[in-house]
């Protein structure tokens, strides 16, 4: 077997794996029940809560990740190696452990004080956002750093000799040149936030209409042996996720043509 | 215009030793040096992209050592040109004015004049990826000048284009300099480019400025063995310098086993008197005497034979072996016309002359 055939074979295996899993859901999909399940108040609440929380968490994560990634890419500073290593914390530690760490933090005096004087996080919507933010900010920083690494620092140097301040060079040169990577990182961050389960359930709980995101709702339906309801919610997640990825790709292509 | 006083900087393990030089207004000062000698580090330090270890940088009499990069008003054309790939040619050229928020009719007029001077008016809406090498060079130059800087630092800007285009760009650079009153500090390792464009030359080797003077002086009197070797001079002979009773100067060249008469500035011989020195001569300044010439009428003549001939297309390098000493070759550079007239071939008996005025002397380190 040639290498070409072997590599194409493995790519098709991935298609078979994921495609097979999605197709197998159809066995339990009842079209009559689909509309009723998707338009139920609880499902709609889970969908809107997931979309809202993931979007807020993504915006916050990307806003922190862009300057942080720039610093890690361009500057040498004390603690850089440690920050660089900790970016992978959400991958190394399981999401449930990360959620537990957050929960434990809010039981200590500082966490308590924060909750009393700012926002309630534990078993609240803010907790969902925080859990998703914590699990995505490191990965967003890693992706965006890779995008900034690919932009030669020489452009900023020349920009500065032409009169640009460091801020102007960053905004007018680095960000536009790293644009594709930043968009890809934002989409992946959002997708990861949408699918976040372990940290969310540990910190925010499973309160229907209040903290129940789509992944949590899927888990709750499955726990109560509601297979049809589970399948409907999985399809909703798939539609949102694949629809977003398709939309971003379309936008990317249009951007290239412009 | 641009003055460096004992400038020291460090880049990792590399250290730039104290550099002092003065680039006069509307002149072109070229810093020559081999790859890795610290030329780019020096330019980046002048631009403010690297921290100054110690020393001062002044521009038009004002100390700019601590002034931020964007406020120095020193234009820069790096080796890779760094045209912004997401902006078209006009946006690249206008970038400096855009970030300074001073786009106006005066700048539009300057941009029109510049783009017309370098003939890029029809390229203004192209992206850099769609430009040829020569077009990219011209856009990078125009961008630096259009930002309003009168002092430009050029980092081997013509190194990536072919030779005929490079010579066109040299001429264009001279015209731009004269027309817009530019002061240039350029670095290169190309000797031809340095001598064509430079009014004054400095030679930087291993982070140390070995020589800085007018180009004729750098050409005829290399200040150190390193400079002579960088210029590719092979005819270097060790010896001892002696002052004769008649006031003349002779070097007992031990490696050549010959007493070479040199035309050396008498006021400076004291420092060299009876000292170990190195004397040398460029290959293109060694004369091969015609067969009917009387060697006694020429200075420092030697007889020997042609050891080898290297055909370099436009010129020839002849390796001459003197009869009186073994294992020594003297390089002679001849243009094609002279080579044909002399009808040389390997083994042929010839005489050469090393004219006194063409021999330079370097004190041995």
């Amino acid at each position: 077997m040639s290498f070409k055939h072997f590599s194409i074979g493995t790519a098709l295996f991935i298609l078979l794996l994921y495609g097979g899993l999605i197709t197998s859901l159809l066995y339990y999909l009842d079209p009559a029940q689909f509309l009723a399940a998707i338009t139920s108040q609880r499902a709609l609440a889970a969908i809107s809560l997931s979309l809202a929380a993931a979007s807020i968490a993504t915006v916050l994560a990307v806003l922190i990740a862009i300057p942080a990634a720039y610093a890690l890419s361009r500057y040498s500073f004390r603690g850089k190696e440690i920050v660089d290593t900790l970016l992978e914390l959400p991958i190394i530690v399981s999401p449930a452990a990360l959620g537990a760490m957050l929960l434990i933090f809010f039981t200590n005096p500082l966490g308590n004080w924060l909750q009393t004087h700012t926002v309630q996080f534990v078993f609240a919507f803010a907790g969902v956002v925080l859990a998703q933010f914590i699990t995505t900010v490191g990965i967003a920083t890693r992706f965006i750093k890779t995008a900034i690494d690919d932009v030669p620092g020489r452009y900023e140097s020349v920009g500065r000799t032409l009169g640009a301040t460091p801020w102007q060079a960053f905004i007018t040169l680095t960000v536009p040149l790293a644009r594709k990577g930043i968009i890809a990182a934002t989409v992946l961050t959002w997708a990861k936030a949408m699918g976040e389960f372990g940290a969310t359930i540990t910190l925010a709980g499973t309160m229907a209409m209040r903290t129940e995101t789509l992944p949590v709702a899927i888990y709750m339906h499955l726990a109560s042996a509601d297979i049809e309801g589970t399948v409907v919610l999985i399809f909703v997640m798939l539609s949102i996720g694949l629809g977003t990825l398709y939309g971003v790709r379309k936008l990317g292509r249009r951007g290239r043509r412009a | 215009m641009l003055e460096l006083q004992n400038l020291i900087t460090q880049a990792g393990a590399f250290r730039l030793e104290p550099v002092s030089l003065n680039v006069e207004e509307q002149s072109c000062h070229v810093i020559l040096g081999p790859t890795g000698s610290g030329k780019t580090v020096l330019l980046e330090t002048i631009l403010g992209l690297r921290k100054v270890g110690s020393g001062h940088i002044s521009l038009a009499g004002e100390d700019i050592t601590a002034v931020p990069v964007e406020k120095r008003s020193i234009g820069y054309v790096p080796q890779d040109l760094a045209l912004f790939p997401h902006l078209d040619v006009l946006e690249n050229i206008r970038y400096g004015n855009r970030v300074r928020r001073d786009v106006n009719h005066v700048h539009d007029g300057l941009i029109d004049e510049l783009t017309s001077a370098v003939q890029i008016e029809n390229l203004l809406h192209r992206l850099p990826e769609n430009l040829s090498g020569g077009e990219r060079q011209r856009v990078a130059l125009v961008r630096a000048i259009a930002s309003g800087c009168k002092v430009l630092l050029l980092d081997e800007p013509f190194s990536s284009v072919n030779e005929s285009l490079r010579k066109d760009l040299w001429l264009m650079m001279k015209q731009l300099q004269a027309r817009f009153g530019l002061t240039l500090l350029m670095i290169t390792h190309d000797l031809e480019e340095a001598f064509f464009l430079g009014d004054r030359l400095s030679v930087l080797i291993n982070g140390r400025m070995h020589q800085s003077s007018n180009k004729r002086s750098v050409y005829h009197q290399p200040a150190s063995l390193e400079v002579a070797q960088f210029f590719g001079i092979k005819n270097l002979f060790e010896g001892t310098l002696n002052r004769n009773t008649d006031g003349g100067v002779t070097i007992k060249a031990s490696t050549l086993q010959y007493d070479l008469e040199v035309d050396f500035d008498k006021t400076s011989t004291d420092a060299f008197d009876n000292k170990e020195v190195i004397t040398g001569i460029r290959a293109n300044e060694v004369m091969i005497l015609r067969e009917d010439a009387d060697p006694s009428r020429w200075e420092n003549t030697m007889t020997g034979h042609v050891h080898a001939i290297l055909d370099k297309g436009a010129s020839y390098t002849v390796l001459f072996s003197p009869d009186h000493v073994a294992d020594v070759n003297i390089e002679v550079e001849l243009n094609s016309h002279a080579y044909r007239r002399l009808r040389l071939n390997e083994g042929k008996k010839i005489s050469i002359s090393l004219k006194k005025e063409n021999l330079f002397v370097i004190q041995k380190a």
Side-chain angles (χ1 to χ4, degrees):
Chain A
M1 186 191 283
S2 71
F3 177 74
K4 180 183 167 185
H5 289 114
F6 170 74
S7 59
I8 292 173
T10 53
L12 292 175
F13 171 73
I14 293 170
L15 172 69
L16 191 71
L17 194 70
Y18 289 142
L21 276 172
I22 293 168
T23 313
S24 72
L25 294 174
L26 295 173
Y27 182 75
Y28 284 103
L29 188 69
D30 179 356
Q33 253 196 351
F34 187 84
L35 200 64
I38 203 172
T39 52
S40 75
Q41 222 178 357
R42 190 174 165 188
L44 286 174
I47 293 167
S48 58
L49 194 137
S50 274
L51 288 171
S55 301
I56 295 169
T58 301
V59 169
L60 293 174
V62 170
L63 283 178
I64 297 284
I66 293 176
Y70 183 84
L72 289 167
S73 177
R74 294 285 195 262
Y75 302 127
S76 292
F77 56 91
R78 200 173 288 172
K80 179 178 170 174
E81 295 286 316
I82 301 168
V83 177
D84 204 34
T85 309
L86 282 177
L87 292 182
E88 267 80 40
L89 185 79
I91 298 171
I92 299 161
V93 179
S94 82
L98 212 56
M101 284 161 72
L102 280 168
L103 200 58
I104 292 162
F105 169 75
F106 284 115
T107 60
N108 76 26
L110 176 64
N112 250 324
W113 184 90
L114 269 177
Q115 286 212 98
T116 314
H117 293 87
T118 58
V119 185
Q120 176 69 29
F121 288 100
V122 178
F123 303 125
F125 175 73
V128 177
V129 175
L130 181 65
Q132 292 180 351
F133 170 77
I134 292 283
T135 49
T136 56
V137 69
I139 294 152
T141 308
R142 171 68 66 225
F143 287 141
I144 293 172
K145 180 182 177 290
T146 308
I148 293 175
D149 283 343
D150 288 342
V151 179
R154 178 68 81 199
Y155 293 128
E156 290 161 46
S157 300
V158 171
R160 293 203 56 204
T161 66
L162 292 169
T165 61
W167 276 102
Q168 285 176 316
F170 174 68
I171 301 289
T172 60
L173 300 173
T174 315
V175 171
L177 289 171
R179 184 178 50 113
K180 278 185 191 167
I182 293 173
I183 291 172
T186 306
V187 172
L188 287 169
T189 302
W190 186 82
K192 172 121 181 77
M194 276 293 288
E196 213 298 308
F197 172 73
T200 308
I201 200 167
T202 314
L203 182 67
T206 60
M207 285 180 288
M209 319 289 287
R210 281 185 61 195
T211 62
E212 190 182 63
T213 58
L214 268 172
V216 173
I218 290 167
Y219 173 74
M220 296 308 288
H221 278 83
L222 193 65
S224 57
D226 177 8
I227 307 290
E228 287 81 4
T230 306
V231 168
V232 168
L233 290 176
I234 291 172
F235 269 110
V236 170
M237 275 208 82
L238 273 171
S239 310
I240 294 171
L242 294 177
T244 307
L245 288 175
Y246 178 75
V248 168
R249 280 196 178 176
K250 267 269 207 207
L251 275 176
R253 272 195 213 112
R254 198 175 295 168
R256 274 197 293 278
R257 275 200 296 273
Chain B
M1 183 71 173
L2 177 67
E3 198 177 348
L4 312 181
Q5 292 169 315
N6 297 315
L7 196 67
I8 294 176
T9 190
Q10 188 102 25
F14 180 82
R15 184 182 150 88
L16 193 67
E17 291 185 27
V19 173
S20 296
L21 60 87
N22 186 15
V23 184
E24 285 170 22
E25 193 169 358
Q26 297 189 28
S27 71
C28 178
H29 192 120
V30 177
I31 299 175
L32 270 163
T35 306
S37 59
K39 303 187 297 291
T40 300
V41 170
L42 176 61
L43 283 203
E44 289 176 349
T45 310
I46 298 169
L47 287 163
L49 297 169
R50 285 185 185 278
K51 269 191 180 170
V52 171
S54 67
H56 293 278
I57 306 165
S58 310
L59 183 66
E62 190 189 333
D63 191 330
I64 58 161
T65 316
V67 172
V69 184
E70 61 271 20
K71 292 195 174 141
R72 292 196 179 201
S73 290
I74 300 178
Y76 178 43
V77 180
Q79 192 172 4
D80 61 0
L81 306 175
L83 293 178
F84 307 138
H86 61 303
L87 303 179
D88 68 21
V89 168
L90 187 59
E91 288 167 332
N92 262 281
I93 293 170
R94 280 192 168 150
Y95 182 85
N97 300 326
R98 188 183 124 204
V99 291
R100 287 182 171 131
R101 297 189 179 88
D102 61 0
V103 178
N104 57 43
H105 293 305
V106 177
H107 285 123
D108 284 348
L110 174 65
I111 288 169
D112 288 346
E113 197 181 344
L114 278 165
T115 52
S116 138
V118 302
Q119 298 168 3
I120 54 165
E121 312 101 304
N122 56 339
L123 308 173
L124 297 180
H125 300 292
R126 283 203 204 161
L127 284 173
E129 65 185 2
N130 299 323
L131 300 176
S132 69
E135 289 166 348
R136 290 162 62 83
Q137 309 273 346
R138 284 183 272 161
V139 173
L141 280 170
V142 167
R143 180 178 65 177
I145 302 168
S147 68
C149 301
K150 288 288 183 191
V151 177
L152 290 193
L153 269 51
L154 312 172
D155 186 350
E156 310 210 20
F158 312 118
S159 59
S160 59
V161 288
N162 66 50
E163 197 168 331
S164 83
L165 186 57
R166 190 155 63 233
K167 284 177 180 161
D168 290 343
L169 289 167
W170 294 350
L171 284 169
M172 187 200 76
M173 191 70 244
K174 280 232 174 199
Q175 285 161 2
L176 283 176
Q177 188 193 1
R179 188 161 166 184
F180 295 96
L182 302 173
T183 303
L184 306 176
L185 176 60
M186 188 173 107
I187 60 178
T188 183
H189 63 264
D190 183 332
L191 301 180
E192 213 180 332
E193 183 171 286
F195 283 101
F196 182 84
L197 289 172
D199 299 304
R200 286 180 71 82
L201 302 183
S202 294
V203 185
L204 185 70
I205 299 171
N206 285 333
R208 192 163 78 81
M209 201 64 99
H210 281 251
Q211 190 165 8
S212 192
S213 52
N214 69 64
K215 60 183 174 186
R216 285 295 111 205
S217 171
V218 173
Y219 184 85
H220 290 291
Q221 185 61 54
S224 67
L225 179 62
E226 289 89 343
V227 174
Q229 285 170 334
F230 171 68
F231 286 152
I233 300 170
K234 294 277 175 59
N235 301 325
L236 298 166
F237 314 108
E238 291 181 5
T240 313
L241 189 141
N242 296 307
R243 201 173 346 184
N244 306 330
T245 48
D246 63 357
V249 176
T250 303
I251 292 172
K252 283 189 175 298
S254 52
T255 46
L256 197 56
Q257 294 179 23
Y258 194 95
D259 290 353
L260 289 166
E261 288 177 53
V262 295
D263 193 4
F264 195 58
D265 181 5
K266 286 170 192 163
T267 55
S268 61
T269 48
D270 284 353
F272 288 70
D273 237 18
N274 302 316
K275 296 269 168 57
E276 291 283 309
V277 295
I278 292 165
T279 186
I281 187 166
R282 288 177 176 272
N284 58 348
E285 285 172 342
V286 177
M287 292 183 67
I288 296 179
L289 304 182
R290 286 165 57 157
E291 286 173 47
D292 56 352
D294 174 8
S296 64
R297 296 183 59 189
W298 294 84
E299 297 156 356
N300 299 321
T301 55
M302 291 170 217
T303 52
H305 65 276
V306 175
H307 177 69
I309 297 170
L310 310 175
D311 182 353
K312 298 196 291 187
S315 65
Y316 291 81
T317 298
V318 176
L319 298 182
F320 167 79
S321 290
D323 286 339
H324 67 278
V325 56
D327 301 328
V328 171
N329 284 319
I330 296 175
E331 262 192 23
V332 187
E333 189 79 11
L334 296 172
N335 63 38
S336 302
H337 177 69
Y339 176 77
R340 280 196 301 274
R341 281 189 63 187
L342 288 164
R343 294 179 185 178
L344 298 175
N345 51 54
E346 285 177 15
K348 184 174 180 178
K349 278 271 186 193
I350 56 169
S351 296
I352 63 161
S353 165
L354 311 182
K355 285 186 80 178
K356 283 194 323 189
E357 66 189 50
N358 292 332
L359 283 161
F360 57 83
V361 181
I362 302 164
Q363 197 162 20
K364 203 172 168 189

